[in-house]
């Protein structure tokens, strides 16, 4: 059955394409945060292990929400590693030591990249594609990433 939510098919497709890129970014960021959780070493191991766990749990919820928003728009969410790697704006992995500061710097840069991508889509989603719902949704996501980035950045002071 055709999706009829007051947004043209063409506009729903355009928004879904950008949301698929966001989902890929979220998946890569989630995976990199899991890597930090599993592989962090050093005298701050325990606290950082728990910190990275709290971050990947938030990203897991974010991924699910982004995928469900794509489905709400009447499209299928990408769900393969290959598609995520083709769609993402992020690098899959940087060669670092397994210390918390290295992981934090890399993850912070990724969150900031996601924030910029989201910020660049808020107005087009609302104005160009007439999708205030997705625009509002990603505004909330941007705020979540800003908070997560602040938490990471605070470790670097």
């Amino acid at each position: 059955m055709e999706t009829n939510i007051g947004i043209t098919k063409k506009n729903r497709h355009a928004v879904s394409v950008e949301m698929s890129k966001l989902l890929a970014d979220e998946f890569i960021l989630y995976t990199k945060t899991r890597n930090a959780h599993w592989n962090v070493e050093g005298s701050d191991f325990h606290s950082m292990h728990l910190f990275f766990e709290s971050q990947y749990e938030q990203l897991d919820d974010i991924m699910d929400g982004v995928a469900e928003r794509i489905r709400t728009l009447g499209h299928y969410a990408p769900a393969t590693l290959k598609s995520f790697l083709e769609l993402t704006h992020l690098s899959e992995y940087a060669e670092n030591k397994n210390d918390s500061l290295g992981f934090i710097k890399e993850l912070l840069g990724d969150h900031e990249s996601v924030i910029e991508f989201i910020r660049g889509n808020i107005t087009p989603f609302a104005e160009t594609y007439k999708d205030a719902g997705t625009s509002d949704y990603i505004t909330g996501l941007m705020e979540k990433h800003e908070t997560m980035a602040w938490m990471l950045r605070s470790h670097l002071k």
Side-chain angles (χ1 to χ4, degrees), residues 126-145:
E127 294 178 7
T128 305
Y129 301 114
K130 310 299 183 211
D131 184 355
T134 304
S135 179
D136 181 61
Y137 174 73
I138 65 170
T139 300
L141 285 185
M142 181 185 67
E143 293 169 354
K144 288 178 184 180
H145 280 285

Side-chain angles (χ1 to χ4, degrees), residues 101 104-105 108 112 149-157:
L101 289 180
I104 288 168
K105 288 176 184 175
L108 175 58
E112 290 173 342
W150 162 58
M151 294 287 181
L152 290 160
R153 196 176 302 108
S154 293
H155 285 88
L156 302 176
K157 299 266 178 176

Side-chain angles (χ1 to χ4, degrees), residues 1-80:
M1 181 163 204
E2 182 68 26
T3 302
N4 186 14
I5 57 173
I7 304 167
T8 67
K9 184 175 185 175
K10 179 181 174 186
N11 286 355
R12 285 186 293 105
H13 179 264
V15 171
S16 293
V17 167
E18 294 306 303
M19 290 296 286
S20 293
K21 293 174 188 175
L22 178 58
L23 179 58
D25 287 350
E26 300 289 3
F27 186 86
I28 297 302
L29 184 52
Y30 167 85
T31 302
K32 291 170 79 170
T33 306
R34 271 281 191 176
N35 176 44
H37 168 75
W38 287 332
N39 293 308
V40 67
E41 296 176 321
S43 60
D44 59 351
F45 164 78
H46 189 261
S47 62
M48 293 312 301
H49 182 74
L50 295 176
F51 173 75
F52 291 133
E53 181 177 20
S54 73
Q55 292 236 323
Y56 78 67
E57 287 174 345
Q58 291 175 71
L59 291 166
D60 187 48
D61 288 340
I62 289 171
M63 283 187 308
D64 192 53
V66 172
E68 289 176 358
R69 186 68 198 171
I70 294 167
R71 295 294 294 134
T72 299
L73 294 170
H75 292 273
Y76 291 104
T80 66

Side-chain angles (χ1 to χ4, degrees), residues 25 28-29 32 85 88-95 106 110 113:
D25 287 350
I28 297 302
L29 184 52
K32 291 170 79 170
L85 289 172
T88 190
H89 300 95
L90 306 178
S91 63
E92 182 181 18
Y93 178 73
E95 193 65 42
E106 183 174 357
D110 288 345
S113 179

